[in-house]
Amino acid sequence: MRKSSMFCALAAFACAPLQAESLNYQFDTAHSQVHASLSHLGFSTSTARFAIKEGVIVADADELTAAKVSVVLNAAPDLGDATWEDHMGAEKWFNLAEHQEIHFESTEVTSSGDGQFEIVGNLTLRGVTKPVTLQAKLNKAGPHPFNQKPRLGFSATTSFKRSDFGMAEYVPNVGDEVLVRIEVEAGAS
């Protein structure tokens, strides 16, 4: 009797579906970028780059809809002009004296097929948290060709109103809608 119950337990374990292992994919900050742009008085579209301080995707590359994404950006925009960067760091804009980071935490990932995903999450900017949805495309998942470690690559876009985060200075002359373009390479160790 004892042998048969042990056999049943082993058979049940052997027949159970294998659970894929989630890995921590750390952002490769040299090959990952976040760019934001908005209309400047209708004459041009101004673009800023935000440095990624840290980012991680916890995921099984074969089941990305269960992924969790967490990103921390330096809130100081790189605009290529020190005077303009000082202006953007002021209280009415990024208020860098009080808010030096921008955070994003995913809450849901859904697939629309062909490597296309919606990543819903919370964006915290200037101490205000609002939901945003990223339209993401999986560029590649597989071993890095040099070190053979697992790697993911995504391109994503989103948009939001800056006034929703307390940055309404000069709206509507300076655009309210911020367009964001994200490129991510992330590798597991």
Side-chain angles (χ1 to χ4, degrees):
M1 187 79 157
R2 194 172 190 134
K3 284 185 182 179
S4 68
S5 63
M6 188 164 145
F7 175 76
C8 289
L10 286 172
F13 177 75
C15 293
L18 294 175
Q19 296 295 319
E21 183 180 344
S22 289
L23 299 174
N24 288 337
Y25 292 87
Q26 301 293 325
F27 281 35
D28 175 346
T29 56
H31 297 100
S32 300
Q33 299 93 35
V34 176
H35 295 268
S37 59
L38 54 75
S39 172
H40 183 254
L41 306 172
F43 293 111
S44 66
T45 299
S46 292
T47 301
R49 180 175 177 171
F50 291 86
I52 298 170
K53 292 178 84 171
E54 58 188 64
V56 66
I57 302 169
V58 179
D60 165 13
D62 294 325
E63 185 49 60
L64 291 172
T65 56
K68 299 288 183 196
V69 181
S70 177
V71 183
V72 179
L73 306 176
N74 182 340
D78 177 354
L79 299 161
D81 182 88
T83 301
W84 194 20
E85 289 168 1
D86 285 345
H87 182 73
M88 291 292 103
E91 184 179 353
K92 290 183 178 180
W93 291 91
F94 286 93
N95 193 7
L96 296 176
E98 293 184 29
H99 306 285
Q100 297 174 358
E101 295 179 339
I102 299 169
H103 295 258
F104 175 81
E105 294 283 337
S106 69
T107 57
E108 180 181 19
V109 178
T110 57
S111 172
S112 52
D114 281 342
Q116 304 290 325
F117 296 87
E118 276 195 354
I119 303 171
V120 178
N122 292 313
L123 177 65
T124 302
L125 172 61
R126 291 187 39 142
V128 177
T129 301
K130 299 280 184 181
V132 296
T133 301
L134 282 65
Q135 303 299 324
K137 175 183 179 266
L138 174 65
N139 297 321
K140 187 174 182 179
H144 189 284
F146 300 146
N147 64 20
Q148 301 306 309
K149 293 181 179 178
R151 199 157 185 92
L152 297 173
F154 281 94
S155 297
T157 58
T158 192
S159 65
F160 60 87
K161 292 188 180 297
R162 64 184 175 91
S163 59
D164 288 345
F165 293 88
M167 289 191 288
E169 186 79 353
Y170 304 127
V171 170
N173 293 317
V174 175
D176 194 16
E177 184 178 25
V178 178
L179 304 175
V180 181
R181 184 175 52 83
I182 304 159
E183 296 293 332
V184 171
E185 279 191 41
S189 50

